């Protein structure tokens, strides 16, 4: 009897907190904008938003404590922040207030960020389940599912194709409506990061340091570039391809023929992707430094020493750079000279890159604490007090 009473109390608590609420997409939200649709923003994976209205302050707008760890990158779809958690939940939160809008069940651990097109959502689950799933968010029903062994942490959509890579060295193109495999590119090398699109070719980097350019129409290889060292970070594109290997060498690569335009040794291992914006690119390093380089010649513009390990990719938002460390420190820098503007202490390590909707910045820690930063106005201050 006591046990039943306790169970009822727990159920009531979860109901009051909205934790048991299932997510349903409203029809008037279909085809609206996705402010951060993919793992690094857009299909070119720059990790930057040049047109952002972010005001340059780390005021806490809202916080949400999830009861699970993040297992994939955050994405944003039409004013909704999407959080893939470890306890068989993909959660949806209002970007404005942090209000919990509900969840869907991935039927496994969703190790990729959720990508949405119209009312259809796409994600892949971790090994043992190892499925790529398409779920209709209007009714939460599975539209289709495919076997994909050990998919990497993000996918992109090009026209009607969902592009996804897997650790076994395969790059897939699926029809986003039917799930039909349109083509499959196979490599003997290992893929551990997501692909990007440069407007003509799909680019994929391997752990061994190989860069593959593939025709999005048929999956045929167009170019291959072999770097000297392993690469564990995703690529970025802004007129050229940029990446960093595990020895700290940053590369600029010509997309027309694959030749290396310049390479600069920065001095430490980089685990996160570079952010490319305008005339500069920015990269965080395991030694705790964040470095800005000129895209023209690779010369170092400035260095900022955060001391603690930085493994998550940095974010360039407007005139600012934001990033987190393994000790839970979160930094706001001036992108022009690397000067520290503000620093916050978070609950838990930052292992996934922060994201932005242009106005606010969202970051999640390994303890499941999601924080929204921005410039807090008088009305928000009174509402949250």
């Amino acid at each position: 009897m006591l046990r039943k009473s306790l169970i009822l109390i727990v159920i009531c608590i979860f109901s009051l907190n909205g934790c048991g609420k299932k997510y349903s997409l409203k029809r008037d939200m279909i085809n609206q904008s996705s402010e951060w649709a993919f793992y690094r923003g857009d299909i070119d994976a720059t990790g930057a938003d040049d047109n952002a209205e972010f005001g340059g302050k780390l005021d806490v707008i809202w916080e949400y404590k999830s009861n699970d760890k993040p297992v994939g990158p955050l994405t944003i779809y039409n004013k909704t922040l999407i959080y893939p958690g470890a306890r068989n939940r993909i959660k949806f939160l209002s970007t404005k207030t942090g209000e919990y809008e509900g969840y869907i069940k991935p039927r496994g651990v969703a190790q990729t960020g959720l990508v949405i097109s119209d009312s259809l959502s796409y994600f892949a689950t971790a090994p043992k389940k190892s499925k790529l799933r398409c779920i209709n968010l209007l009714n939460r029903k599975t539209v289709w599912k495919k076997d994909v062994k050990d998919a990497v942490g993000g996918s992109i959509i090009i026209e009607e194709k969902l592009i996804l890579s897997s650790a076994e060295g395969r790059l897939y193109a699926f029809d986003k409506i039917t799930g039909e495999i349109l083509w499959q590119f196979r490599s003997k090398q290992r893929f551990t990061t997501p692909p990007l699109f440069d407007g003509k070719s799909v680019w994929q980097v391997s752990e061994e340091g190989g860069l593959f350019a593939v025709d999005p129409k048929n999956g045929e290889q167009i170019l291959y570039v072999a770097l000297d060292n392993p690469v564990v970070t995703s690529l970025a594109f802004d007129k050229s391809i940029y990446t960093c290997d595990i020895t700290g060498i940053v590369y600029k690569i010509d997309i027309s023929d694959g030749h290396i335009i310049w390479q600069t040794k920065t001095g430490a291992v980089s685990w996160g992707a570079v952010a490319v914006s305008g005339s500069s690119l920015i990269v965080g390093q395991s030694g705790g430094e964040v470095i800005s380089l000129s895209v023209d010649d690779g010369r170092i513009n400035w260095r900022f020493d955060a001391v603690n390990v930085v493994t998550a990719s940095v974010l360039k938002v407007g005139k600012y750079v934001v990033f987190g460390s393994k000790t839970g420190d979160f930094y706001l820098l001036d992108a022009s000279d690397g000067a520290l503007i503000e620093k916050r202490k978070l609950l838990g390590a930052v292992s996934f890159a922060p994201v932005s909707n242009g106005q606010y910045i969202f970051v999640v820690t390994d303890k499941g604490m999601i924080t929204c930063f921005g410039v807090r106005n008088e009305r928000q201050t009174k509402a949250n007090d």
Side-chain angles (χ1 to χ4, degrees), residues 231-248:
V231 176
V232 292
T233 72
S234 55
L235 305 173
F237 170 75
D238 186 359
K239 298 177 183 176
S240 300
I241 293 290
Y242 299 90
T243 193
C244 185
D245 68 27
I246 63 167
T247 70

Side-chain angles (χ1 to χ4, degrees), residues 56-92:
K57 292 187 69 178
L58 294 182
D59 294 339
V60 176
I61 306 301
W62 55 259
E63 290 182 308
Y64 176 90
K65 180 66 172 71
S66 181
N67 61 353
D68 55 5
K69 295 181 178 180
V71 290
L74 299 172
T75 50
I76 301 173
Y77 177 78
N78 188 33
K79 300 178 183 178
T80 301
L81 183 70
I82 305 167
Y83 170 83
R87 294 188 177 179
N88 197 26
R89 294 285 191 275
I90 297 175
K91 299 180 180 180
F92 298 77

Side-chain angles (χ1 to χ4, degrees), residues 356-378:
S356 176
N357 65 352
Q359 182 181 7
Y360 299 132
I361 290 167
F362 308 90
V363 61
V364 62
T365 70
D366 288 354
K367 292 188 180 295
M369 179 61 80
I370 303 170
T371 305
C372 171
F373 290 113
V375 177
R376 204 173 180 190
N377 60 39
E378 194 172 321

Side-chain angles (χ1 to χ4, degrees), residues 30-74:
I30 297 174
N31 293 325
Q32 295 197 26
S33 61
S34 296
E35 297 94 336
W36 198 269
F38 307 108
Y39 68 102
R40 289 293 279 162
D42 210 338
I43 54 178
D44 52 11
T46 61
D49 183 355
D50 293 330
N51 299 317
E53 298 176 359
F54 175 66
K57 292 187 69 178
L58 294 182
D59 294 339
V60 176
I61 306 301
W62 55 259
E63 290 182 308
Y64 176 90
K65 180 66 172 71
S66 181
N67 61 353
D68 55 5
K69 295 181 178 180
V71 290
L74 299 172

Side-chain angles (χ1 to χ4, degrees), residues 169 187-193 203-212 224-227 229-233 235 243:
S187 167
K188 294 182 179 179
Q189 300 180 33
R190 180 177 170 83
F191 298 158
T192 56
T193 62
W203 285 80
Q204 175 69 54
V205 65
S206 74
E207 196 173 64
E208 293 84 349
L211 275 69
F212 300 86
Y224 176 73
V225 182
L227 303 181
N229 302 299
V231 176
V232 292
T233 72
L235 305 173
T243 193

